[in-house]
Amino acid sequence: MIRIVSAKFLTSSVNSLDAPDFGISEVAFLGRSNVGKSSIINALTNHQGLAKSSSTPGKTQLINFFEVIFDNDGQKIPIIFVDLPGFGYAKVSKSLYSAWQKNLDEFLKNRINIKTFVHLVDSRHANLEKDENLGVYLNEFIRNDQKILNLYTKCDKLNQSERSKVLKMDSSAILVSSTKKTGIDKASETIYNSVFGL
Ligand code: GTP
Ligand code: MG
């Protein structure tokens, strides 16, 4: 069985140049602002407040690194989780916004250690153009040792028929709720397996 046993904050970076190389495989959590990136890191690691979350979009402004220890049948394996600023958040000034997007773009394209991009999609709005664009964007530069994983967040807000609709659209969809802790074990096992190409 695969589960997460501990997690700790490592450091924050502004861009790819000042981000240290930890020599450990990384998982980058991506998605629109407010979709629940920081919250899912807290739910996966069972560590409230590890990644700062807020109901105000634009909470995460830096590239934040967390060391997460997985237990695979007694073997302890570290993986780095990377919490990122959301895209599509325009409440800050235009110049700050474009600086963020440039930093994010360079980081995603240059960061050798990223093995998995976890694309978080709000399960209530599962076919927004912004998310489609993110998928297209990632596919433009993804290497063959990298994977994209879609997680559908806030599924506690869906009824049964709305859940079925998401699964019909994406048969491999993983529905998660950070508040209700739904789908969290499945998500962590899927992330682990994708990092190691299993
Ligand atoms: P940025 O850092 O601004 O890009 O946002 P983020 O994607 O990190 O979102 P964050 O985790 O800060 O969560 C945004 C809001 O959504 C907060 O008010 C959370 O409490 C709420 N939220 C996150 N996950 C869930 C969930 O599973 N269910 C519900 N109902 N609310 C959630
Ligand atoms: Mg955040």
Side-chain angles (χ1 to χ4, degrees):
M1 196 185 120
I2 291 154
R3 62 199 181 96
I4 292 170
V5 288
S6 67
K8 68 171 188 212
F9 171 75
L10 291 175
T11 192
S12 297
S13 300
V14 173
N15 55 38
S16 60
L17 295 177
D18 81 335
D21 178 3
F22 301 104
I24 298 173
S25 296
E26 294 176 352
V27 177
F29 291 80
L30 288 165
R32 286 190 302 129
S33 198
N34 213 44
V35 72
K37 297 176 295 297
S38 301
S39 300
I40 193 80
I41 290 177
N42 294 337
L44 287 164
T45 58
N46 196 21
H47 199 317
Q48 235 16 268
L50 179 68
K52 301 284 174 282
S53 72
S54 164
S55 56
T56 310
K59 177 67 182 174
T60 308
Q61 306 200 348
L62 294 167
I63 301 166
N64 298 303
F65 297 90
F66 303 92
E67 186 186 52
V68 177
I69 309 294
F70 282 74
D71 182 304
N72 182 0
D73 280 330
Q75 224 189 333
K76 303 283 188 286
I77 318 270
I79 294 178
I80 306 275
F81 282 5
V82 187
D83 191 16
L84 295 164
F87 64 87
Y89 177 68
K91 218 169 174 181
V92 292
S93 71
K94 253 194 184 147
S95 57
L96 180 58
Y97 182 72
S98 59
W100 276 3
Q101 299 296 299
K102 181 169 173 283
N103 288 339
L104 200 52
D105 175 62
E106 286 177 357
F107 179 79
L108 294 172
K109 287 177 176 163
N110 298 337
R111 189 77 177 168
I112 301 288
N113 292 339
I114 296 178
K115 290 293 184 293
T116 298
F117 298 102
V118 176
H119 178 182
L120 303 186
V121 178
D122 189 322
S123 61
R124 297 167 297 174
H125 315 283
N127 44 19
L128 294 183
E129 198 180 347
K130 277 179 178 170
D131 282 307
E132 198 181 315
N133 290 344
L134 179 66
V136 170
Y137 163 76
L138 287 174
N139 276 298
E140 278 167 11
F141 60 83
I142 192 167
R143 309 184 308 252
N144 53 23
D145 68 327
Q146 293 176 317
K147 287 217 175 92
I148 301 172
L149 210 75
N150 293 326
L151 295 187
Y152 294 83
T153 63
K154 308 193 186 185
C155 76
D156 53 283
K157 304 219 180 194
L158 300 188
N159 61 34
Q160 199 48 52
S161 89
E162 290 167 327
R163 280 171 205 235
S164 312
K165 227 189 242 168
V166 175
L167 286 162
K168 212 176 231 174
M169 211 186 66
D170 176 355
S171 58
S172 63
I174 300 175
L175 289 153
V176 292
S177 165
S178 299
T179 44
K180 292 271 171 0
K181 300 277 162 78
T182 318
I184 298 300
D185 291 342
K186 184 174 181 192
S188 65
E189 183 159 359
T190 309
I191 288 170
Y192 180 92
N193 287 338
S194 89
V195 166
F196 295 110
L198 304 170

